[in-house]
Amino acid sequence: MDDKTVAEIIKCRRDPAYFITNYCKIRHPIRGLINFKLWKFQEECINNFVSHSYNLILKARQLGLSTLLASYIAWLITFFSDKEVYVVATKGKTATNLIMKVKVVLENLPDWIKPIQTVDQRQNIELSNGSRAQATTTTNDAGRSEALSLLIIDECSFIRNMETLWVGAQPTLSTGGDCIVLSTPNGVGNWFHKQCKMAEEGEKIQVGEKITSFNFIKLPWTVHPERNQKWAVAMKKKIGEKAFSQEHEINFEQSGSNVVAIKDLDFYLIHPSEFEEPDPKFRPFIREPLEKTYSDKNLWRWQYPDYTKKYILSADVARGDGGDYSAFHIIDTENYEQVAEYKGKLNTDDYSRLIFNTAIEYNNAFIIIENASVGHAVVMKVLELGYQNMFWTIRDINNVNSTNVSQFRYDIYNLPKNAVPGFTTSSRTRPLMIEKMEEDLRNHEFILHSRRTYNELEVFIYDGGKPVAMSGYNDDLVMSLAIGLYVRATTMRIENIDSELSNALLQNMHRNTTQYFPNSLVKNDETGINHYEMVIRGKKENIGWLIT
């Protein structure tokens, strides 16, 4: 081997982009075997792989990333001994195809640089220098190895057990292994979405004992030099706006099945409250509370009690198995605004007292407690404490309509026999609650302040047509909010209509008082005599205030 060849080998070893551009061949679906000429964004990706141990790629489809990774793997196992590369894919076919692409690159290298393959299997390649590349589908054990040099996780957002897989890979990665994670978006709240948000905001991650961070790479369709607006218009027509937004514009918000659309939730991150004075520093709806109080600091307040206002306290109670939380909201019924919130893990006695005390503090708030399971114990405890301004469910009535509306009016001191304390969530009321909440958040009628509630709404999805929290998440704040908004729109709306009718009647009576009094008590315009004036102790006094 002459000096020129040796120098070229050294150059290829030092610069994977140079090696790929000059010596790698790939199979094109139409043109067959061709040289792999890197586009600018592909070359930048290769440089990132070399410069950073942990790379996180949010990508559009059909950018040639699998071919690029195959070429990078070929470079790594060709020029470095005893390298262990492990590829995790969602499907067996995807895993096999990636290894096949590595084989195409290796088999078409010039003889003076081509490595000797000692093992050639569908999902496994081993070379004479001790390096190996293998691929597998996703299992809980995927990524576990004692000497892993590079872990590649393809279409990460579609891996259901990604959290478990990542935990299993920690020991290997913490000893020096590199990692490349890539995917198109697939809804919010999953491991990939959270890591992208953290990486974009510069947050650190822990890998074993090491604190590090992902190098975040975003690759929308616009990075592809052969695509333009004409291509985009044609593709949107072919697959639809939503699919295009997910697959090519790498839009998380359009990629899932959220109950409340992410774009509607994001409104609360940027818009200030119309009920507040203009703030030169600009405060969005979602904001830090004025204080975090109670013994566990989980009672958050955005407004202190205003004793001229009416409030709702709507509460959900934890099942008691440690898997979820007890949560409640305080809602200003007039401004339709969240003013306080609690989310924590308390026993039923402590939670009941907290509800009782907070409701009294907020002007004797109307308490609505979900009465299923452990919730019934909390309801009864609050009643034992002497609280009376509480919602009662009228059995056999699950919705307000023109025929049963009168049955929702009840006197807490004279309850009907078919009344039970607390709110009963049933197969009829649950979809109505969720529908009301979604409508009011979509139309931005309700003013939400809590980041905790926002985070729960982000992962509140339709799973098989049923609105539930995404696996591994809770919906305690979401459900307690839905209960409060529903009751305000039904039972409390009826009470408000009664109150408005009474006020209107009183105002009308006040406007017409003069016609009911004798003429002797009314000012005589012709004579100029005011009959409200009387001489008392030698002085004239107007006694009109007695009858106004």
Side-chain angles (χ1 to χ4, degrees), residues 442-497:
R442 170 167 42 85
N443 294 325
H444 311 129
E445 294 178 0
F446 178 70
I447 300 174
L448 178 70
H449 291 309
S450 170
R451 169 62 77 169
R452 290 188 299 194
T453 302
Y454 178 94
N455 290 342
E456 282 195 11
L457 285 164
E458 272 195 316
V459 294
F460 193 60
I461 63 170
Y462 286 108
D463 188 355
K466 183 180 179 181
V468 293
M470 192 178 291
S471 177
Y473 295 88
N474 301 105
D475 59 8
D476 312 290
L477 285 167
V478 170
M479 294 310 298
S480 54
L481 178 63
I483 291 170
L485 301 192
Y486 176 71
V487 170
R488 178 187 178 273
T490 53
T491 307
M492 291 197 71
R493 181 185 175 192
I494 295 164
E495 292 178 357
N496 290 337
I497 290 172

Coordinates of all heavy atoms in Angstrom, one line a residue, residues 442-497:
R442 N -61.6 25.9 23.8 CA -61.4 26.2 22.4 C -61.8 27.6 22.0 O -61.2 28.3 21.2 CB -62.2 25.2 21.5 CG -62.3 25.5 20.1 CD -62.8 24.3 19.2 NE -63.9 23.6 19.9 CZ -65.2 24.0 19.8 NH1 -65.5 25.1 19.1 NH2 -66.1 23.3 20.4
N443 N -62.9 28.1 22.6 CA -63.4 29.4 22.4 C -62.8 30.4 23.3 O -63.1 31.6 23.2 CB -64.9 29.4 22.5 CG -65.6 28.6 21.5 OD1 -65.2 28.6 20.3 ND2 -66.7 28.0 21.8
H444 N -61.9 30.0 24.2 CA -61.2 30.8 25.1 C -62.1 31.7 26.0 O -61.8 32.8 26.3 CB -60.2 31.8 24.3 CG -59.4 31.0 23.3 ND1 -59.2 31.4 22.0 CD2 -58.6 29.9 23.5 CE1 -58.5 30.6 21.4 NE2 -58.1 29.6 22.2
E445 N -63.2 31.1 26.4 CA -64.2 31.7 27.2 C -63.7 31.6 28.7 O -63.9 32.5 29.5 CB -65.5 31.1 27.1 CG -66.1 31.4 25.7 CD -67.5 30.8 25.5 OE1 -68.0 30.1 26.4 OE2 -68.1 30.9 24.4
F446 N -63.1 30.5 29.1 CA -62.6 30.3 30.4 C -61.2 30.8 30.5 O -60.4 30.5 29.6 CB -62.7 28.8 30.8 CG -62.2 28.5 32.2 CD1 -62.9 29.0 33.3 CD2 -61.0 27.8 32.3 CE1 -62.4 28.7 34.6 CE2 -60.5 27.6 33.6 CZ -61.2 28.0 34.7
I447 N -60.9 31.5 31.6 CA -59.5 32.0 31.8 C -58.7 31.0 32.6 O -59.0 30.9 33.8 CB -59.5 33.4 32.4 CG1 -60.3 34.3 31.5 CG2 -58.1 33.9 32.6 CD1 -60.5 35.7 32.0
L448 N -57.7 30.3 32.0 CA -56.9 29.4 32.7 C -55.6 30.0 33.1 O -54.9 30.6 32.2 CB -56.7 28.1 31.8 CG -55.8 27.0 32.4 CD1 -56.5 26.3 33.5 CD2 -55.5 26.0 31.2
H449 N -55.1 29.7 34.3 CA -53.8 30.3 34.7 C -52.8 29.2 35.0 O -51.6 29.5 35.1 CB -54.0 31.2 36.0 CG -54.7 32.4 35.7 ND1 -54.4 33.3 34.7 CD2 -55.8 33.0 36.3 CE1 -55.2 34.4 34.7 NE2 -56.1 34.2 35.7
S450 N -53.2 28.0 35.3 CA -52.2 27.0 35.8 C -51.4 26.3 34.8 O -52.0 25.7 33.9 CB -53.0 26.0 36.7 OG -52.2 24.9 37.0
R451 N -50.1 26.2 35.0 CA -49.3 25.4 34.2 C -49.5 23.9 34.4 O -49.4 23.1 33.5 CB -47.8 25.8 34.4 CG -46.8 24.9 33.8 CD -46.8 24.8 32.3 NE -46.3 25.9 31.7 CZ -46.0 26.0 30.4 NH1 -46.3 25.0 29.6 NH2 -45.5 27.1 29.8
R452 N -49.8 23.6 35.7 CA -50.1 22.2 36.0 C -51.3 21.7 35.2 O -51.3 20.6 34.6 CB -50.3 22.0 37.5 CG -49.1 22.2 38.3 CD -49.3 21.8 39.8 NE -50.4 22.6 40.4 CZ -50.6 22.6 41.7 NH1 -49.8 21.9 42.5 NH2 -51.5 23.4 42.3
T453 N -52.4 22.5 35.2 CA -53.5 22.0 34.4 C -53.2 22.0 32.9 O -53.7 21.1 32.2 CB -54.7 23.0 34.7 OG1 -55.0 23.0 36.1 CG2 -56.0 22.5 34.0
Y454 N -52.5 23.0 32.4 CA -52.1 23.1 31.0 C -51.4 21.8 30.7 O -51.6 21.2 29.6 CB -51.3 24.3 30.8 CG -50.7 24.4 29.4 CD1 -51.4 25.2 28.4 CD2 -49.5 23.8 29.0 CE1 -50.9 25.3 27.1 CE2 -49.1 23.9 27.7 CZ -49.8 24.7 26.8 OH -49.3 24.8 25.5
N455 N -50.4 21.4 31.5 CA -49.6 20.2 31.2 C -50.5 18.9 31.2 O -50.3 18.0 30.3 CB -48.5 20.0 32.3 CG -47.4 21.1 32.2 OD1 -47.3 21.7 31.1 ND2 -46.7 21.2 33.2
E456 N -51.5 18.8 32.0 CA -52.4 17.7 32.0 C -53.2 17.7 30.7 O -53.5 16.7 30.1 CB -53.3 17.7 33.2 CG -52.6 17.2 34.5 CD -53.6 16.8 35.6 OE1 -54.8 16.8 35.3 OE2 -53.2 16.6 36.7
L457 N -53.7 18.9 30.3 CA -54.5 19.0 29.1 C -53.7 18.6 27.9 O -54.2 18.1 26.9 CB -55.0 20.4 29.0 CG -56.2 20.8 29.9 CD1 -56.3 22.3 29.9 CD2 -57.5 20.1 29.5
E458 N -52.4 18.9 27.9 CA -51.5 18.5 26.8 C -51.5 17.0 26.5 O -51.4 16.6 25.4 CB -50.1 18.9 27.0 CG -49.8 20.3 26.6 CD -48.3 20.6 26.6 OE1 -47.6 20.2 27.5 OE2 -47.8 21.2 25.6
V459 N -51.7 16.2 27.5 CA -51.6 14.7 27.4 C -53.0 14.1 27.6 O -53.1 12.9 27.9 CB -50.6 14.1 28.3 CG1 -49.2 14.6 27.9 CG2 -50.8 14.5 29.8
F460 N -54.0 14.9 27.5 CA -55.4 14.4 27.7 C -55.9 14.1 26.3 O -56.1 15.0 25.5 CB -56.3 15.4 28.4 CG -57.6 14.8 28.8 CD1 -57.7 13.8 29.7 CD2 -58.8 15.4 28.4 CE1 -58.9 13.3 30.2 CE2 -60.0 14.9 28.8 CZ -60.1 13.9 29.7
I461 N -56.0 12.8 25.9 CA -56.2 12.4 24.5 C -57.4 11.5 24.4 O -58.0 11.0 25.3 CB -55.0 11.7 24.0 CG1 -54.7 10.4 24.7 CG2 -53.8 12.6 24.0 CD1 -53.7 9.5 24.1
Y462 N -57.8 11.3 23.1 CA -58.8 10.2 22.8 C -58.0 8.9 22.5 O -57.2 8.9 21.6 CB -59.6 10.6 21.6 CG -60.6 11.7 21.8 CD1 -60.5 13.0 21.4 CD2 -61.8 11.4 22.6 CE1 -61.4 14.0 21.6 CE2 -62.7 12.4 22.9 CZ -62.5 13.7 22.4 OH -63.5 14.7 22.6
D463 N -58.3 7.9 23.3 CA -57.7 6.6 23.1 C -58.8 5.6 22.9 O -59.6 5.3 23.8 CB -56.9 6.2 24.4 CG -56.1 5.0 24.2 OD1 -56.2 4.3 23.1 OD2 -55.3 4.6 25.1
G464 N -59.0 5.2 21.7 CA -60.1 4.3 21.3 C -61.4 5.0 21.4 O -62.4 4.4 21.7
G465 N -61.4 6.3 21.2 CA -62.6 7.1 21.3 C -63.0 7.6 22.7 O -63.9 8.4 22.8
K466 N -62.2 7.2 23.7 CA -62.5 7.6 25.1 C -61.5 8.6 25.5 O -60.3 8.4 25.4 CB -62.4 6.3 26.0 CG -62.8 6.7 27.5 CD -62.7 5.4 28.3 CE -63.0 5.8 29.8 NZ -62.9 4.6 30.6
P467 N -62.0 9.7 26.1 CA -61.0 10.8 26.6 C -60.4 10.3 27.9 O -61.0 10.2 28.9 CB -61.9 12.0 26.8 CG -63.3 11.4 27.0 CD -63.4 10.2 26.2
V468 N -59.0 10.2 27.8 CA -58.3 9.7 29.0 C -56.9 10.4 29.0 O -56.5 10.9 28.0 CB -58.1 8.2 29.0 CG1 -59.4 7.5 29.2 CG2 -57.4 7.7 27.7
A469 N -56.2 10.3 30.1 CA -54.8 10.7 30.2 C -54.0 9.7 29.4 O -54.2 8.5 29.5 CB -54.4 10.9 31.6
M470 N -52.9 10.3 28.8 CA -52.0 9.4 28.1 C -51.3 8.5 29.1 O -51.2 8.8 30.3 CB -50.9 10.2 27.4 CG -50.0 9.5 26.4 SD -48.9 10.7 25.6 CE -50.0 11.6 24.6
S471 N -51.0 7.3 28.7 CA -50.3 6.3 29.6 C -49.2 6.9 30.4 O -48.3 7.5 29.8 CB -49.9 5.1 28.8 OG -49.2 4.2 29.6
G472 N -49.2 6.7 31.7 CA -48.1 7.3 32.5 C -48.4 8.7 33.0 O -47.6 9.2 33.8
Y473 N -49.6 9.2 32.7 CA -49.9 10.6 33.2 C -51.2 10.6 33.9 O -52.0 9.6 34.0 CB -50.0 11.5 31.9 CG -48.7 11.7 31.2 CD1 -48.3 10.8 30.2 CD2 -47.9 12.8 31.6 CE1 -47.1 11.0 29.5 CE2 -46.6 12.9 30.9 CZ -46.3 12.1 29.9 OH -45.1 12.2 29.3
N474 N -51.6 11.7 34.5 CA -52.8 11.9 35.3 C -53.7 12.9 34.7 O -53.3 13.8 34.0 CB -52.4 12.3 36.8 CG -51.5 11.3 37.5 OD1 -50.4 11.6 37.6 ND2 -52.1 10.2 37.9
D475 N -55.0 12.8 35.1 CA -56.0 13.8 34.6 C -56.8 14.4 35.7 O -58.0 14.8 35.5 CB -56.9 13.2 33.5 CG -57.7 12.0 34.0 OD1 -57.6 11.7 35.2 OD2 -58.3 11.3 33.2
D476 N -56.3 14.4 36.9 CA -57.0 14.8 38.1 C -57.5 16.3 38.0 O -58.6 16.6 38.3 CB -56.2 14.6 39.3 CG -55.6 13.2 39.4 OD1 -56.3 12.2 39.6 OD2 -54.3 13.1 39.2
L477 N -56.6 17.1 37.6 CA -56.9 18.6 37.4 C -57.9 18.8 36.3 O -58.8 19.6 36.3 CB -55.7 19.4 37.2 CG -54.8 19.6 38.4 CD1 -53.4 20.2 38.1 CD2 -55.5 20.6 39.4
V478 N -57.7 18.0 35.2 CA -58.6 18.1 34.0 C -60.0 17.7 34.4 O -61.0 18.4 34.1 CB -58.1 17.2 32.9 CG1 -59.2 17.1 31.8 CG2 -56.8 17.7 32.3
M479 N -60.2 16.6 35.1 CA -61.5 16.1 35.5 C -62.2 17.0 36.5 O -63.4 17.3 36.4 CB -61.5 14.7 36.0 CG -61.1 13.7 34.9 SD -62.0 13.8 33.4 CE -63.6 13.4 33.9
S480 N -61.5 17.5 37.4 CA -62.1 18.4 38.4 C -62.5 19.7 37.7 O -63.5 20.4 38.1 CB -61.1 18.7 39.6 OG -59.9 19.2 39.2
L481 N -61.7 20.2 36.8 CA -62.1 21.4 36.0 C -63.3 21.2 35.2 O -64.2 22.0 35.2 CB -60.9 21.8 35.1 CG -61.2 23.1 34.2 CD1 -61.4 24.3 35.1 CD2 -60.0 23.3 33.3
A482 N -63.4 20.0 34.5 CA -64.5 19.7 33.7 C -65.8 19.7 34.5 O -66.9 20.1 34.1 CB -64.3 18.3 33.0
I483 N -65.7 19.1 35.7 CA -66.9 19.1 36.6 C -67.4 20.5 36.9 O -68.6 20.8 36.8 CB -66.6 18.3 37.9 CG1 -66.4 16.8 37.6 CG2 -67.7 18.5 38.9 CD1 -65.9 16.0 38.7
G484 N -66.4 21.3 37.3 CA -66.8 22.7 37.7 C -67.4 23.5 36.5 O -68.4 24.2 36.7
L485 N -66.8 23.4 35.3 CA -67.4 24.1 34.2 C -68.7 23.6 33.8 O -69.6 24.4 33.4 CB -66.4 24.0 33.0 CG -65.0 24.5 33.2 CD1 -64.2 24.6 31.9 CD2 -64.9 25.8 33.9
Y486 N -69.0 22.3 33.9 CA -70.2 21.7 33.5 C -71.3 22.2 34.5 O -72.4 22.6 34.1 CB -70.1 20.2 33.5 CG -71.4 19.5 33.3 CD1 -72.0 19.5 32.0 CD2 -72.1 18.8 34.3 CE1 -73.3 18.9 31.8 CE2 -73.3 18.1 34.1 CZ -73.9 18.2 32.8 OH -75.1 17.5 32.6
V487 N -71.1 22.1 35.8 CA -72.1 22.5 36.8 C -72.4 24.0 36.7 O -73.5 24.4 36.8 CB -71.6 22.2 38.2 CG1 -72.5 22.8 39.3 CG2 -71.6 20.7 38.4
R488 N -71.4 24.8 36.4 CA -71.6 26.3 36.2 C -72.6 26.5 35.0 O -73.4 27.4 35.1 CB -70.3 27.0 36.0 CG -70.5 28.5 35.7 CD -69.2 29.2 35.3 NE -69.4 30.6 35.0 CZ -69.8 31.1 33.8 NH1 -70.0 30.2 32.8 NH2 -69.9 32.4 33.6
A489 N -72.4 25.7 34.0 CA -73.2 25.9 32.8 C -74.6 25.3 32.9 O -75.5 25.6 32.1 CB -72.5 25.2 31.6
T490 N -74.8 24.4 34.0 CA -76.2 23.8 34.1 C -76.8 24.3 35.4 O -77.6 25.3 35.4 CB -76.0 22.3 34.1 OG1 -75.0 21.9 35.1 CG2 -75.6 21.8 32.7
T491 N -76.5 23.7 36.5 CA -77.2 24.0 37.7 C -77.1 25.5 38.1 O -78.1 26.1 38.4 CB -76.7 23.1 38.9 OG1 -76.8 21.8 38.5 CG2 -77.5 23.3 40.2
M492 N -75.9 26.0 38.1 CA -75.7 27.4 38.5 C -76.2 28.4 37.5 O -76.7 29.4 37.9 CB -74.2 27.7 38.7 CG -73.6 26.9 39.9 SD -72.0 27.6 40.4 CE -72.5 29.2 41.1
R493 N -76.3 28.0 36.3 CA -76.9 28.8 35.3 C -78.4 29.0 35.6 O -79.0 30.1 35.4 CB -76.8 28.2 33.9 CG -77.4 29.1 32.8 CD -77.3 28.4 31.4 NE -78.0 29.2 30.4 CZ -78.3 28.7 29.2 NH1 -78.0 27.5 28.9 NH2 -78.9 29.5 28.3
I494 N -79.1 27.9 36.0 CA -80.5 28.0 36.4 C -80.7 28.9 37.6 O -81.5 29.8 37.6 CB -81.0 26.6 36.7 CG1 -81.0 25.7 35.4 CG2 -82.4 26.7 37.2 CD1 -81.1 24.3 35.7
E495 N -79.8 28.8 38.6 CA -79.9 29.7 39.7 C -79.7 31.1 39.3 O -80.3 32.0 39.8 CB -78.8 29.3 40.8 CG -79.1 27.9 41.4 CD -78.1 27.5 42.4 OE1 -77.1 28.3 42.5 OE2 -78.2 26.4 43.0
N496 N -78.7 31.4 38.4 CA -78.5 32.7 38.0 C -79.6 33.3 37.2 O -79.9 34.5 37.3 CB -77.2 32.8 37.1 CG -76.0 32.5 37.9 OD1 -75.9 32.7 39.1 ND2 -74.9 32.0 37.2
I497 N -80.3 32.5 36.4 CA -81.5 33.0 35.7 C -82.6 33.4 36.7 O -83.2 34.4 36.6 CB -82.1 31.9 34.8 CG1 -81.1 31.6 33.6 CG2 -83.4 32.2 34.2 CD1 -81.4 30.4 32.7

